[in-house]
Amino acid sequence: MTNFIHFPTNFQWGAATAAYQIEGGIHADGKSSSIWDVFAHTPGKIYNGDTGDAACDHYRRWKEDVALMKQLGLKAYRFSLSWPRILPEGVGKPNQAGLDFYSRLIDELLAADILPLATLYHWDLPAVMPGGWLNSATTEAFVEYSAIVAKTLGDRVKNWVTINEPFCASILSYKLGMHAPGLQDPAKALVAAHHLLLAHGLAVPVLRENCPGARVGIALNPGPFYTPTRSRADLAAARHADGELNRWFLDPLYGRGYPADMLNDYVSMGFLPSSRPDFIKPNDFDIIATPTDFLGINYYTRNRVMAGEEIDTNPASVVRLSAPEDNQTEMGWEIFPFGLYETLSRIHWEYKPGEILVTENGASYSDGPDSNGNVHDDRRIGYLKDHIAAIGKAIQAGVPVTGYYLWSLMDNFEWSMGYSQRFGIVYIDFDTQMRYPKDSAFWYRQVIQQNGLTEE
Ligand code: IFM
């Protein structure tokens, strides 16, 4: 049985990238270093010692890249702005050359009839900001940066994502040390998470004031947790892990403050001095819950967890289980499209965002060009087909999804994994900077043209 899944009219079929992952030009035209420039140049932090110094050279090849997007039939493009390119001091005088770069890119996108969706923060904080996200002054600087960007680019960009994946920018970056700035301090990670959420809430009205017709949201990376048994201990582990990844961010954004069970956990673990620590100011939860126009969801996989031995005394005693080897991408992430349906439905029913964009979804596979320059990435096509079908079914069930941004337009710098992981539908030869659209790119073009796909 085959079944064609139609998507709504004007569905935003797009692809996504982020500044540090593709631009290169790290010190071009007055750009200052970001925390990722510093981190990537710290020995031992990135696989193979890779850095984003050159990346995909998009800073110089942007025109060619927009032509490629047009050739691939994209209706929308999600990219991020580099804060240190626009404000090399973090605050103060904008760097005109940096703003001009994005201005040209946006003009080219609009001329190609491609809707721009700009992310203000995809992790490349100016390195000059003292204390990074531990300092509440960074939230104020972010608001200043948002105003400048909205004033300059907001006549043409109407769709904005404030912060990408605050979980990664706090927990991975300040607790687990895997991302810049590479701290391993759980208490500080909670301070960073709070300031990121606050920066988002403060920026929403500023974007609206400076950009008539702005539509604003934040992009989270939620996902479901599965346990091998339904034992009390395993469910307790899943509750804590779900609280850390999902509810710690969703609850305050939708007016509920931080979840009480997680506040208890963090106090008992010594990560918070009390359930109302000093870094949470009286008005903060109202600011964080400022209504938005859409919620961005980045989804790749589900999580399998079980209780560790100390679960009775330590709520964070969570053991992460790996995916079956025959059902994972090269990131080691399990292929689980139902988890996307589940995540979209859960968020729709529990939090009721007016609109949802899938702001990232995709798979890492290393297939490269054959002697004719063709890249046969059937495994990626299989992954995309099943995940897009899951979105179609969620829409049929009433979830208001209005766009899909495939991660990623092109292979790029995959953070601590460097260039070893390829998520693109366009292959990049990092030696020659040649671009090779993969089979998945032509397959996606057809999905866009047909505004849907056949489910087998
Ligand atoms: O490459 C990243 C992206 O920057 C944020 N979301 C997940 C992607 C794949 O790891």
Side-chain angles (χ1 to χ4, degrees), residues 154-184:
D155 55 338
R156 287 154 293 152
V157 176
K158 299 295 175 190
N159 297 288
W160 302 93
V161 170
T162 52
I163 308 270
N164 184 66
E165 299 178 359
F167 169 86
C168 297
S170 56
I171 306 296
L172 288 192
S173 308
Y174 289 82
K175 174 185 169 187
L176 301 176
M178 290 157 63
H179 281 190
L183 267 60
Q184 290 181 291

Side-chain angles (χ1 to χ4, degrees), residues 6 11 43 60 98 119 153 159 163 169 173-174 232 313:
H6 288 278
F11 193 74
R60 289 190 299 185
T119 302
L153 308 174
N159 297 288
I163 308 270
S173 308
Y174 289 82
R232 188 197 52 75
T313 50

Side-chain angles (χ1 to χ4, degrees), residues 99-380:
L99 282 168
D100 288 347
F101 166 68
Y102 294 110
S103 197
R104 284 191 297 268
L105 172 67
I106 291 158
D107 285 343
E108 194 74 8
L109 288 167
L110 293 174
D113 215 9
I114 297 171
L115 180 82
L117 169 61
T119 302
L120 290 168
Y121 186 71
H122 201 124
W123 309 348
D124 45 354
L125 186 71
V128 291
M129 300 301 298
W133 287 106
L134 300 177
N135 187 346
S136 64
T138 300
T139 61
E140 285 144 34
F142 180 74
V143 175
E144 198 178 316
Y145 158 59
S146 306
I148 289 167
V149 162
K151 273 184 203 146
T152 333
L153 308 174
D155 55 338
R156 287 154 293 152
V157 176
K158 299 295 175 190
N159 297 288
W160 302 93
V161 170
T162 52
I163 308 270
N164 184 66
E165 299 178 359
F167 169 86
C168 297
S170 56
I171 306 296
L172 288 192
S173 308
Y174 289 82
K175 174 185 169 187
L176 301 176
M178 290 157 63
H179 281 190
L183 267 60
Q184 290 181 291
D185 185 331
K188 289 192 170 143
L190 297 178
V191 177
H194 189 71
H195 288 152
L196 282 154
L197 287 169
L198 204 53
H200 154 78
L202 288 167
V204 173
V206 171
L207 287 164
R208 290 196 177 124
E209 273 157 35
N210 292 289
C211 170
R215 298 183 47 74
V216 188
I218 186 170
L220 304 181
N221 57 320
F225 285 85
Y226 279 67
T227 48
T229 77
R230 310 248 336 138
S231 69
R232 188 197 52 75
D234 279 354
L235 293 179
R239 176 199 59 76
H240 179 82
D242 174 67
E244 186 184 49
L245 175 70
N246 297 320
R247 292 179 291 117
W248 195 258
F249 298 92
L250 283 159
D251 278 16
L253 285 167
Y254 288 91
R256 302 180 190 178
Y258 290 131
D261 62 313
M262 294 303 292
L263 287 168
N264 284 340
D265 287 3
Y266 288 146
V267 171
S268 75
M269 290 155 72
F271 297 172
L272 289 177
S274 72
S275 60
R276 199 64 202 228
D278 287 349
F279 65 81
I280 303 180
K281 303 284 183 269
N283 218 10
D284 284 2
F285 287 124
D286 291 337
I287 296 170
I288 293 170
T290 302
T292 49
D293 300 289
F294 63 85
L295 176 67
I297 291 183
N298 299 348
Y299 176 86
Y300 292 88
T301 188
R302 71 164 156 176
N303 308 279
R304 292 169 178 257
V305 295
M306 62 180 270
E309 278 173 16
E310 311 91 63
I311 193 77
D312 286 333
T313 50
N314 174 7
S317 178
V318 176
V319 176
R320 291 180 186 269
L321 304 169
S322 46
E325 272 176 23
D326 59 353
N327 188 37
Q328 49 178 252
T329 66
E330 289 180 17
M331 284 293 274
W333 294 350
E334 182 173 0
I335 302 166
F336 194 65
F338 178 73
L340 178 52
Y341 177 88
E342 196 182 356
T343 301
L344 291 170
S345 308
R346 172 190 180 184
I347 289 176
H348 171 59
W349 294 112
E350 281 191 31
Y351 297 96
K352 306 209 170 358
E355 197 176 313
I356 296 177
L357 292 177
V358 174
T359 34
E360 285 183 29
N361 172 245
S364 167
Y365 291 111
S366 53
D367 311 289
D370 64 14
S371 52
N372 299 316
N374 298 319
V375 185
H376 303 304
D377 59 338
D378 295 352
R379 293 171 297 176
R380 177 173 293 100

